[in-house]
Amino acid sequence: MNPFRFAIQARSGRARVGLLTTPHGRVETPLFMPVGTQGSVKGLLPKDLKAIGSQVLLANTYHLLLRPGPERVRTLGGLHRFAGWDGPWLTDSGGFQVMSLGHLRRIDEEGVVFQSHLDGRLIKLTPERSVAVQEALGADLIMAFDECPPYPASRDYLKASLERTLRWLERSLKAKTRPDQALFGIAQGGTEPDLRRRSTLETIRFDLPGYAIGGLAVGEPKEAMFRMVALSTELLPETKPRYLMGVGHPEDLVAAMGLGVDLFDCVYPTRTGRFGSALVPEGRINLKNAQYLEDKRPLEEGCDCYACQTFSRAYLAHLVRAREMLGGILLSLHNLRFLHRLTERAREAIRQGSYGAFAREFAERRFGKEIPPWFREAMAAGGHW
Ligand SMILES: [Zn+2]
């Protein structure tokens, strides 16, 4: 029997609660997936991630390909065993990091050749190689090798790139051998509605177990991004999970969940935590600011995380100033719990058919009286306001 299933359990407007079954457990969507770039969510123990409600972890193919290498991970039991997380994993295809981190040497129909940012060696990544690496890493959810164009990019470039991504998807599928991994296709098309539509429609013709909305959150205006998300979720099949790649700001999650997105990942909560900032309902506070040095309150009133239950803002501000590693650890823990609580409350609201009220309450705290037009527009498109 197919080890992957996705069942919609409740809807509110275009938002939905789903149950995704994988070989390593069932998870509830919408959900946020913490990023463990090197097979480790920086500073956090897997047991702590489990305790704060993390359900799926993401690892980066590019980094693990360079070090320790896919064969070593396979020999040591795959990501689940090697990295001590027995729940589901997702790996990306490596394409995005090749373009953003690697010193790209050549990109052609065959694939890409890049120079490792670690030791300068030349490495070739093709759709076939990306799938082989992801099979060795052993994640439950794997991604087709795609080309993620920068923003802005010309129409001609976007068009050529989305066509190549479709051919690479076909090759990725042909290369796949493991039945216990689900391969998601990635729709591209930048912010050009007709190209985005075409890429999405051509991708769903492959009848895949899930679909990613790629090439967004790369610097385009929010209006443009959410119009593309709205267009995408309108076209994508209702019965398959939708994954909006690289999005992790709370207000973006609320808008995208409202449009029917199920999965998210981003380094934002852990990275901003390591840099000394905490997510709060009003936005984010920077513990480096002097105003927190005598602040006895927790990071966020009402948060159930260990950092908020145990420590004051003053102590955390001290840790950040003293550059103690515990500061980044506690802020990362809180920030991830913040996003998990946000998706938990969203699921609850969807089950009660009141996502619009949930989003309004969120927006009033986050934005005050001036809710930005892009957020209103997304709420209207999702059938909430
Ligand atoms: Zn907290």
Side-chain angles (χ1 to χ4, degrees):
M1 197 170 72
N2 185 348
F4 295 94
R5 285 185 299 283
F6 184 66
I8 302 288
Q9 297 189 322
R11 284 173 213 278
S12 176
R14 282 168 69 180
R16 66 253 196 98
V17 168
L19 189 66
L20 175 64
T21 304
T22 79
H24 288 86
R26 291 193 295 186
V27 300
E28 282 195 332
T29 64
L31 74 84
F32 178 81
M33 305 181 286
V35 179
T37 299
Q38 313 267 7
S40 149
V41 178
K42 292 190 195 312
L44 298 179
L45 304 177
K47 65 176 182 174
D48 291 339
L49 292 167
K50 202 148 272 187
I52 61 167
S54 299
Q55 301 187 72
V56 181
L57 299 189
L58 185 144
N60 288 121
T61 289
Y62 171 86
H63 291 87
L64 297 173
L65 165 65
L66 299 184
R67 183 178 58 196
E71 287 316 315
R72 187 168 301 160
V73 176
R74 190 208 304 268
T75 306
L76 294 168
L79 274 172
H80 297 92
R81 194 169 170 150
F82 181 58
W85 175 265
D86 59 6
W89 283 91
L90 182 149
T91 46
D92 63 3
S93 72
F96 183 77
Q97 266 89 17
V98 164
M99 327 253 171
S100 58
L101 290 179
H103 306 284
L104 192 62
R105 285 300 184 83
R106 195 178 77 231
I107 173 161
D108 59 20
E109 188 61 24
E110 176 65 12
V112 298
V113 175
F114 65 95
Q115 193 173 19
S116 158
H117 75 283
L118 293 180
D119 57 13
R121 84 196 134 111
L122 286 181
I123 296 174
K124 188 171 183 180
L125 203 52
T126 62
E128 292 79 12
R129 176 86 177 119
S130 171
V131 168
V133 171
Q134 294 186 80
E135 292 197 339
L137 298 175
D140 303 81
L141 309 174
I142 65 175
M143 306 300 296
F145 193 62
D146 68 323
E147 185 186 359
C148 178
Y151 180 87
S154 72
R155 264 188 73 85
D156 284 347
Y157 180 74
L158 287 173
K159 190 164 167 290
S161 161
L162 82 84
E163 286 165 358
R164 176 178 282 159
T165 292
L166 286 163
R167 291 191 295 272
W168 284 359
L169 169 58
E170 198 167 355
R171 282 168 56 191
S172 297
L173 279 167
K174 278 204 185 109
K176 183 178 179 301
T177 64
R178 284 181 63 161
D180 59 343
Q181 295 183 305
L183 185 137
F184 283 25
I186 306 175
Q188 292 289 348
T191 52
E192 302 280 332
D194 60 322
L195 298 181
R196 179 64 59 175
R197 177 180 300 272
R198 196 178 132 212
S199 175
T200 306
L201 290 174
E202 294 283 324
T203 304
I204 61 184
R205 286 178 56 192
F206 288 89
D207 189 24
L208 301 166
Y211 298 96
I213 305 167
L216 296 178
V218 290
E220 74 283 8
K222 295 254 192 198
E223 279 84 358
M225 167 171 153
F226 283 100
R227 278 174 200 159
M228 293 305 108
V229 174
L231 186 155
S232 305
T233 55
E234 218 166 74
L235 299 172
L236 290 168
E238 273 286 323
T239 53
K240 301 289 175 66
R242 298 111 171 228
Y243 165 28
L244 180 57
M245 305 178 83
V247 167
H249 288 246
E251 57 271 27
D252 296 347
L253 258 63
V254 174
M257 289 190 287
L259 291 166
V261 173
D262 308 300
L263 300 167
F264 302 89
D265 82 285
C266 193
V267 296
Y268 174 66
T270 43
R271 179 171 290 169
T272 202
R274 290 199 306 283
F275 291 164
S277 289
L279 301 180
V280 293
E282 293 73 28
R284 139 183 117 156
I285 58 172
N286 184 345
L287 277 300
K288 285 181 190 143
N289 292 343
Q291 67 186 104
Y292 301 114
L293 285 170
E294 294 184 358
D295 194 332
K296 295 193 182 75
R297 293 173 296 168
L299 288 175
E300 185 195 353
E301 213 69 62
C303 176
D304 58 7
C305 87
Y306 174 72
C308 291
Q309 292 291 313
T310 315
F311 304 106
S312 61
R313 291 177 174 186
Y315 178 65
L316 290 156
H318 159 66
L319 292 181
V320 168
R321 286 193 173 222
R323 296 172 195 247
E324 281 293 320
M325 69 166 103
L326 186 57
I329 291 172
L330 291 169
L331 289 168
S332 296
L333 185 83
H334 165 78
N335 289 347
L336 282 178
R337 181 62 192 142
F338 184 91
L339 292 186
H340 291 332
R341 279 170 57 232
L342 187 68
T343 57
E344 284 167 14
R345 293 200 314 263
R347 293 199 290 268
E348 186 57 33
I350 295 166
R351 287 188 199 283
Q352 290 173 1
S354 59
Y355 191 81
F358 161 80
R360 188 173 296 282
E361 199 188 312
F362 169 87
E364 281 167 0
R365 284 196 77 178
R366 173 65 186 85
F367 302 116
K369 288 201 168 64
E370 298 194 15
I371 296 172
W374 65 265
F375 193 90
R376 289 185 179 283
E377 198 183 309
M379 283 301 120
H384 304 293
W385 291 359

